Amino acid sequence: MSPEEVIDRSYELISFAAGGEPSWAEFRQLFTEPSTLALRVFPDDPRITVMNLDSYVVHQMRDGLSDEGYSEVPGERTMTIVGDAALVVQHFTIHYRDRPPVPAFDGYSLVRIDGA
């Protein structure tokens, strides 16, 4: 899978309708362990949290988000690929059911190891 495909698929899988939740099993398959995420899960989080994929699942679904539904829609992307490494800045918009859209961005460091 190309870096573009990994990123596009991650935004598809993290989005879900009210009453559901993301496709976590498929989301996890995009990344290998040890994967590290360092981010503000939601824009109003007071600080950046460093976590693994399991911790991210817990953080992402807190505060009754499954009742509300959620989506992330990718926008502008910049990418530098050197050999088996990709550095990506992906702008996106967070959409909640009853709140205004929120602009955000993710930074990815992706590395292909043994073809994965």
Side-chain angles (χ1 to χ4, degrees):
M1 190 177 278
S2 72
E4 295 92 343
E5 292 169 320
V6 169
I7 292 168
D8 289 342
R9 190 74 179 128
S10 71
Y11 289 105
E12 290 171 19
L13 294 171
I14 200 72
S15 300
F16 63 95
E21 65 177 65
S23 301
W24 291 121
E26 290 180 73
F27 184 83
R28 282 186 169 110
Q29 290 176 356
L30 295 174
F31 307 98
T32 59
E33 290 295 341
S35 291
T36 303
L37 294 91
L39 66 157
R40 285 184 172 89
V41 178
F42 296 114
D44 57 351
D45 286 352
R47 65 186 171 282
I48 292 173
T49 302
V50 178
M51 63 198 103
N52 64 19
L53 289 171
D54 291 335
S55 297
Y56 176 66
V57 169
V58 172
H59 274 71
Q60 180 69 27
M61 297 308 294
R62 71 182 194 260
D63 299 332
L65 188 63
S66 61
D67 296 333
E68 185 173 345
Y70 178 85
S71 67
E72 295 181 355
V73 178
E76 181 183 339
R77 175 186 300 160
T78 58
M79 181 178 316
T80 302
I81 299 175
V82 178
D84 286 335
L87 180 61
V88 182
V89 175
Q90 175 67 62
H91 293 263
F92 65 99
T93 304
I94 299 170
H95 293 273
Y96 302 99
R97 182 175 62 189
D98 295 326
R99 296 186 244 175
V102 178
F105 76 91
D106 286 330
Y108 291 84
S109 296
L110 302 171
V111 178
R112 181 180 314 277
I113 299 173
D114 298 327

